[in-house]
Amino acid sequence: MKIAIMQPYFFPYIGYFQLMHAADIFVLFDDVKYIHRGWINRNRVLKQKESWQYIGVPLEKHSSKTLIKDINIHTSVDWKSKIFSQLNHYRKIAPYFYKTIKFVEDTLNSFQGSSIVELNYHIMKSVTDYIGIKTKFLISSECGFDYSDVNGPGDWALSISKQLNGKQYINPIAGKELFDSSKYSDSGIELSFLSPNDVEYSQKRQFEPWLSIIDLLMFNDMDQTSKLITEYKVEGRE
């Protein structure tokens, strides 16, 4: 059983979906503090003429100690229409604009809740169904995990993996230094890291890497999208 864990991001970039693809169970880790200016309620897409811009979801006011699971959307703001407007310029350059904008509109308009975690779970399910990823999703706060043995940053994943009877834990390569591989081997869990290949596709201008999955879908058909999702390596810690 391969386990991967990430906080619930808003329309995340391809590397997030590569991690899902590599795992059997993907845990949306929402019972930790929300970090301002992260990826929980925003992501990046192309700007009209050059560079990139944020699309995002406004949130209700909360304290710096609020957990992700307790963060709510500012529902009195018409943030959905703003996002659709920000994506409209893709019409002139993206071959799959109409198909993708309909998918984004259907996904967002079919959600009527106020929880940012529930929204992002809904987005993840919609995207993975759309592109054919079959990974099972769990929301950590709904699982009743016991974190009493967590003593450092790398222990959260170990604790969750043990409680899910995981045999392999896969983490993005960027967090490699946080983990003590001996703790994992002592628990009978293989510690691995996912390293994405250099993913590039035509954006009809200078390429902006690591944008939201929305951008990927705007410029690639399902066959090419599926191929790009598999462009990664999973390796053990040296």
Side-chain angles (χ1 to χ4, degrees):
M1 185 71 69
K2 301 175 183 177
I3 310 296
I5 304 168
M6 288 288 286
Q7 294 182 6
Y9 289 175
F10 178 74
F11 279 113
Y13 79 121
I14 185 175
Y16 197 102
F17 292 97
Q18 290 175 328
L19 189 62
M20 290 183 195
H21 181 270
D24 298 311
I25 296 178
F26 191 91
V27 180
L28 297 176
F29 189 37
D30 70 334
D31 39 8
V32 288
K33 287 192 294 185
Y34 170 84
I35 298 176
H36 187 53
R37 296 178 187 254
W39 302 107
I40 304 299
N41 66 307
R42 66 177 186 172
N43 222 290
R44 302 184 307 139
V45 296
L46 289 179
K47 203 170 181 178
Q48 184 164 2
K49 293 185 178 180
E50 61 181 13
S51 190
W52 52 265
Q53 63 182 323
Y54 286 114
I55 56 171
V57 183
L59 302 176
E60 291 184 352
K61 289 184 179 179
H62 55 273
S63 77
S64 60
K65 297 180 180 179
T66 304
L67 304 183
I68 297 170
K69 69 183 181 68
D70 297 320
I71 299 289
N72 288 316
I73 300 165
H74 199 324
T75 54
S76 63
V77 177
D78 188 8
W79 55 272
K80 296 177 184 178
S81 293
K82 182 179 179 181
I83 289 175
F84 303 151
S85 177
Q86 287 177 287
L87 296 174
N88 192 56
H89 71 89
Y90 275 94
R91 181 191 310 267
K92 298 180 180 179
I93 57 173
Y96 303 100
F97 169 79
Y98 291 102
K99 185 177 181 181
T100 302
I101 196 66
K102 183 180 187 306
F103 166 71
V104 174
E105 289 174 348
D106 289 348
T107 297
L108 294 184
N109 287 334
S110 61
F111 180 81
Q112 302 300 322
S114 60
S115 163
I116 191 64
V117 173
E118 290 178 4
L119 170 64
N120 289 347
Y121 176 83
H122 174 71
I123 289 170
M124 298 305 168
K125 289 295 294 178
S126 296
V127 174
T128 52
D129 287 347
Y130 189 64
I131 64 180
I133 294 177
K134 305 299 184 183
T135 305
K136 179 180 180 181
F137 288 89
L138 298 175
I139 298 175
S140 62
S141 63
E142 296 179 354
C143 294
F145 290 129
D146 178 2
Y147 299 125
S148 59
D149 58 347
V150 173
N151 297 305
D155 292 348
W156 295 93
L158 177 59
S159 179
I160 291 173
S161 295
K162 287 193 294 186
Q163 292 174 72
L164 291 175
N165 296 315
K167 298 302 180 186
Q168 182 179 6
Y169 172 70
I170 307 172
N171 198 77
I173 191 71
K176 192 173 184 178
E177 68 283 353
L178 298 175
F179 295 87
D180 181 346
S181 58
S182 64
K183 289 185 177 181
Y184 285 78
S185 58
D186 289 347
S187 298
I189 297 172
E190 179 184 355
L191 177 62
S192 302
F193 297 91
L194 185 144
S195 178
N197 297 349
D198 290 332
V199 173
E200 187 167 334
Y201 49 89
S202 174
Q203 294 172 332
K204 305 296 178 67
R205 56 199 262 184
Q206 181 175 340
F207 184 68
E208 294 283 350
W210 311 123
L211 299 185
S212 164
I213 191 70
I214 294 171
D215 186 82
L216 182 78
L217 295 172
M218 287 284 189
F219 292 104
N220 297 276
D221 63 18
M222 282 300 108
D223 287 343
Q224 184 64 11
T225 295
S226 297
K227 180 178 182 299
L228 291 172
I229 291 291
T230 65
E231 294 290 321
Y232 62 82
K233 299 183 291 294
V234 175
E235 301 172 334
R237 181 161 188 165
E238 295 178 357

